[in-house]
């Protein structure tokens, strides 16, 4: 609804602006790291979020498909990282920041497609009001994976719908499968995408 409201308003970009499309990813990166530093400074030494601690313990069984509560993608990521780095607070925050960056950059690209490059920055500003894209997302758990994969799936679906090709279809399929391995709730998004694809005027090209 916010994106539609932005689109409905007339907008005239300034002739000279320091906020160029090249500067946006850098601003996103700086914002994410500032949140991460804030989280690290606000917790006493040794603090680990309980969902994160539970995932770390479960990840030490290796690359298995068995998981008590959720699909195993987060456990696989933690196990792979632990093969090379210790899973301390800095490393865990780095993983969370990387996932948030993927999600925010995907939202930025979605906004470029839907409301235009000039107004996409306003969509990014709205991300600052979403807790899971700021401090809550830095509590690394299965929901943090969805912060990255949900908008990434939407972006790849839009690309596939606009320009159907084998490559775009494979990318969307890989992202969707990865999302299901992160959390089964992604199935709801896939159902809505099927409905959108049938309602789209491009459905003949899509299928």
């Amino acid at each position: 609804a916010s994106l539609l409201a932005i689109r409905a308003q007339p907008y005239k970009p300034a002739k000279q602006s320091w906020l160029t499309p090249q500067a946006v990813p850098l601003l996103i990166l700086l914002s994410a790291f500032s949140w991460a530093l804030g989280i690290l400074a606000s917790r006493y030494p040794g603090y680990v979020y309980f969902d994160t601690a539970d995932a770390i313990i479960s990840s030490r069984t290796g690359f298995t498909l068995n998981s008590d509560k959720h699909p195993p993608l987060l456990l696989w990521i933690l196990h792979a990282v632990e093969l090379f780095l210790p899973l301390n607070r800095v490393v865990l925050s780095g993983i969370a920041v990387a996932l948030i960056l993927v999600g925010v950059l995907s939202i930025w690209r979605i906004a470029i497609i839907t409301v235009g490059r000039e107004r996409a920055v306003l969509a990014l500003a709205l991300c600052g009001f979403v807790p899971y894209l700021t401090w809550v997302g830095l509590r690394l758990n299965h929901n943090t994976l969805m912060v990255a994969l949900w908008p990434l799936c939407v972006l790849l679906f839009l690309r596939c719908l606009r320009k159907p090709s084998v490559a775009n279809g494979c990318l969307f399929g890989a992202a969707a499968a990865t999302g299901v391995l992160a959390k089964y709730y992604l199935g709801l998004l896939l159902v809505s995408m099927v409905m959108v694809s049938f309602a789209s005027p491009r459905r003949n090209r899509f299928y």
Side-chain angles (χ1 to χ4, degrees), residues 145-187:
L145 289 176
M146 301 309 293
V147 169
L149 292 171
W150 197 284
L152 181 61
C153 284
V154 173
L155 173 62
L156 294 176
F157 170 72
L158 291 176
R159 287 181 56 184
C160 195
L161 191 63
R162 289 162 60 90
K163 296 180 180 179
S165 68
V166 174
N168 286 337
C170 290
L171 288 174
F172 170 62
T178 305
V180 172
L181 283 173
K183 208 163 185 180
Y184 297 129
Y185 289 126
L186 193 88

Side-chain angles (χ1 to χ4, degrees), residues 23-79:
V24 171
L26 179 60
L27 288 175
I28 296 172
L29 183 64
L30 291 175
S31 176
F33 275 107
S34 65
W35 277 106
L37 291 174
I39 289 294
L40 289 174
S42 65
R43 299 292 185 179
Y44 54 85
Y47 174 84
V48 177
Y49 188 57
F50 67 91
D51 275 350
T52 310
D54 182 64
I56 291 172
I57 294 170
S58 300
S59 71
R60 287 173 178 164
T61 59
F63 298 105
T64 62
L65 290 172
N66 297 327
S67 180
D68 295 334
K69 299 178 182 178
H70 301 288
L73 182 60
L74 179 61
L75 310 184
W76 292 351
I77 293 173
L78 292 174
H79 182 68

Side-chain angles (χ1 to χ4, degrees), residues 58-200:
S58 300
S59 71
R60 287 173 178 164
T61 59
F63 298 105
T64 62
L65 290 172
N66 297 327
S67 180
D68 295 334
K69 299 178 182 178
H70 301 288
L73 182 60
L74 179 61
L75 310 184
W76 292 351
I77 293 173
L78 292 174
H79 182 68
V81 171
E82 196 173 21
L83 294 176
F84 303 96
L85 296 170
L87 291 179
N88 54 36
R89 295 173 63 219
V90 176
V91 173
L92 294 172
S93 295
I95 297 171
V97 166
L99 292 170
I100 293 173
L101 286 176
V102 172
V104 174
L105 288 172
S106 299
I107 291 171
W108 179 48
R109 298 299 302 177
I110 292 168
I112 290 175
I113 294 173
T114 55
V115 299
R117 185 174 294 274
E118 293 82 6
R119 290 177 246 187
V121 178
L122 298 178
L124 285 179
L126 295 175
C127 292
F129 296 97
V130 181
Y132 265 106
L133 294 174
T134 52
W135 60 275
V136 175
L138 290 168
R139 299 174 176 178
L140 182 62
N141 57 18
H142 295 272
N143 293 323
T144 312
L145 289 176
M146 301 309 293
V147 169
L149 292 171
W150 197 284
L152 181 61
C153 284
V154 173
L155 173 62
L156 294 176
F157 170 72
L158 291 176
R159 287 181 56 184
C160 195
L161 191 63
R162 289 162 60 90
K163 296 180 180 179
S165 68
V166 174
N168 286 337
C170 290
L171 288 174
F172 170 62
T178 305
V180 172
L181 283 173
K183 208 163 185 180
Y184 297 129
Y185 289 126
L186 193 88
L188 298 174
L189 179 64
L190 297 179
V191 170
S192 67
M193 288 176 175
V194 171
M195 297 172 64
V196 169
S197 65
F198 279 116
S200 171

